[in-house]
Amino acid sequence: MATGKIIKALSGFYYVLHEGEIYQCRGRGNFRKKKVSPLVGDMVEFKADNREEGYILSIEERKNEFVRPPIANVDQALIVTSATRPDFNALLLDRFLVLVEAKRIEPIIVISKMDRLDEDQVKEMQHYETMYGEIGYPVILSAVNDPEAMDLIQSHLADRTTVIAGQSGVGKSSLLNSIDSRLSIDTDEISESLGRGKHTTRHVELYEISNGLVADTPGFSSLEFADLELEQLPECFPEFVAVQDGCKFRGCLHHKEPKCAVKMEVEAGNISSQRYHHYLQFLEEIQNRKPRY
Ligand code: ZN
């Protein structure tokens, strides 16, 4: 018996990576009865006499899981956002950050196309780099063929399972192509269909890149806060969490409550008012969500 990680699921087979070798396995019959289905990213116990005929015996508890794409145990998300064409969109970036935080995934922010900016625009991006950096998020300002940025990105990939996120047209393809050509094509194809409500079912595969595993499918097929409860939203803003003990009320939503530490920090300029306004926008969006049955 051995432990490994599922890196691909296809036609009823699971491909388990164990000490650098891949084992083709089937799920045990009773998974179906228990309504448990192994996912790419799962850590599993398996038994295999050779590399073609293995059996998955059990699945370890998951740290997180996605339905679309079907993947489990993601450590981090590389959120790619462009500095220009399309313009840098802080609201969209904050939306991605909330989705990532809600899944307990660590974000890494990559701002692409830095080579296409004038001096003022560069200063603006450096302001964001500082702002998000102070929250605790790694920020990488990048351009295609910028070896320093590529080295930085690759250094983040080691020993972790990573998904890529970001709207289409932000330069994911060319960026990923410079990391590893196996990643580049599929990611943008899928995100193109994002806004059109298509639910593309396709297989997910984890590729070994820079001593880590990277999914070839974007991490978020929907940008709605469908699974997020109102009370969870403040937890998705680390700079709010850092001061929330100072709020008068437990479970403070930092909105209309009096003596709110978050609002005080916003007024004092210690928390970005832009982030706070995005928070209020998301709060309203969740409050106005149609009830689900
Ligand atoms: Zn508060």
Side-chain angles (χ1 to χ4, degrees):
M1 206 157 67
T3 308
K5 193 177 183 84
I6 301 177
I7 58 160
K8 182 164 95 169
L10 198 63
S11 312
F13 288 106
Y14 301 97
Y15 296 84
V16 178
L17 178 68
H18 167 74
E19 292 179 353
E21 304 274 5
I22 293 164
Y23 295 82
Q24 177 175 284
C25 297
R26 290 187 179 277
R28 215 166 51 167
N30 64 357
F31 281 142
R32 209 166 303 162
K33 270 179 247 157
K34 287 187 194 161
K35 293 186 178 167
V36 181
S37 147
L39 282 177
V40 169
D42 269 333
M43 289 300 297
V44 297
E45 282 200 322
F46 72 103
K47 204 175 167 194
D49 294 331
N50 57 59
R51 284 175 54 193
E52 271 76 47
E53 295 166 279
Y55 280 91
I56 292 173
L57 304 169
S58 65
I59 306 170
E60 287 182 15
E61 200 183 327
R62 289 169 188 152
K63 169 175 151 184
N64 52 39
E65 74 180 84
F66 292 81
V67 180
R68 272 188 298 266
I71 187 171
N73 299 322
V74 175
D75 296 311
Q76 61 186 12
L78 211 63
I79 303 173
V80 185
T81 177
S82 72
T84 183
R85 282 184 266 171
D87 283 348
F88 181 77
N89 185 334
L91 180 65
L92 187 65
L93 174 57
D94 285 336
R95 181 176 286 273
F96 272 115
L97 287 168
V98 166
L99 291 166
V100 165
E101 290 278 357
K103 289 278 185 191
R104 304 198 183 284
I105 299 171
E106 289 171 30
I108 299 160
I109 300 166
V110 178
I111 302 179
S112 65
K113 305 190 191 177
M114 284 300 293
D115 52 336
R116 304 210 201 154
L117 303 182
D118 63 32
E119 233 172 90
D120 285 345
Q121 290 171 311
V122 169
K123 276 191 194 130
E124 194 193 343
M125 290 307 121
Q126 285 166 341
H127 153 77
Y128 282 113
E129 181 188 24
T130 308
M131 186 190 110
Y132 285 104
E134 279 170 359
I135 296 168
Y137 294 139
V139 183
I140 301 168
L141 302 180
S142 89
V144 173
N145 301 326
D146 171 356
E148 215 174 300
M150 292 309 134
D151 281 354
L152 259 175
I153 291 171
Q154 293 196 330
S155 70
H156 279 284
L157 300 181
D159 303 321
R160 319 210 67 192
T161 299
T162 306
V163 292
I164 316 283
Q167 64 182 140
S168 66
V170 295
K172 278 199 301 292
S173 270
S174 33
L175 185 87
L176 295 172
N177 203 23
S178 15
I179 301 172
D180 192 301
S181 57
R182 290 173 298 172
L183 286 172
S184 61
I185 309 147
D186 289 344
T187 44
D188 263 11
E189 268 174 16
I190 296 297
S191 46
E192 293 292 345
S193 67
L194 218 159
R196 299 182 213 142
K198 268 192 220 164
H199 294 308
T200 323
T201 323
R202 58 185 301 282
H203 85 270
V204 190
E205 188 162 349
L206 291 170
Y207 286 112
E208 287 186 86
I209 290 163
S210 302
N211 298 316
L213 293 168
V214 181
D216 65 343
T217 307
F220 296 90
S221 58
S222 163
L223 295 181
E224 284 167 32
F225 299 131
D227 300 326
L228 200 66
E229 298 307 324
L230 201 61
E231 300 71 34
Q232 278 177 285
L233 187 65
E235 294 165 23
C236 298
F237 287 72
E239 72 271 48
F240 297 4
V241 174
V243 301
Q244 68 185 12
D245 285 350
C247 294
K248 189 177 179 198
F249 296 100
R250 264 190 76 173
C252 182
L253 288 176
H254 321 309
H255 184 207
K256 288 177 180 159
E257 297 89 343
K259 296 193 176 158
C260 167
V262 169
K263 283 194 282 183
M264 283 188 270
E265 294 296 335
V266 173
E267 265 162 48
N270 298 326
I271 286 178
S272 151
S273 62
Q274 186 185 48
R275 287 263 297 167
Y276 180 65
H277 283 109
H278 292 166
Y279 166 79
L280 292 182
Q281 232 171 297
F282 299 154
L283 197 68
E284 200 185 324
E285 185 178 324
I286 296 171
Q287 275 167 335
N288 294 336
R289 187 170 60 196
K290 291 192 182 76
R292 283 171 294 157
Y293 301 100

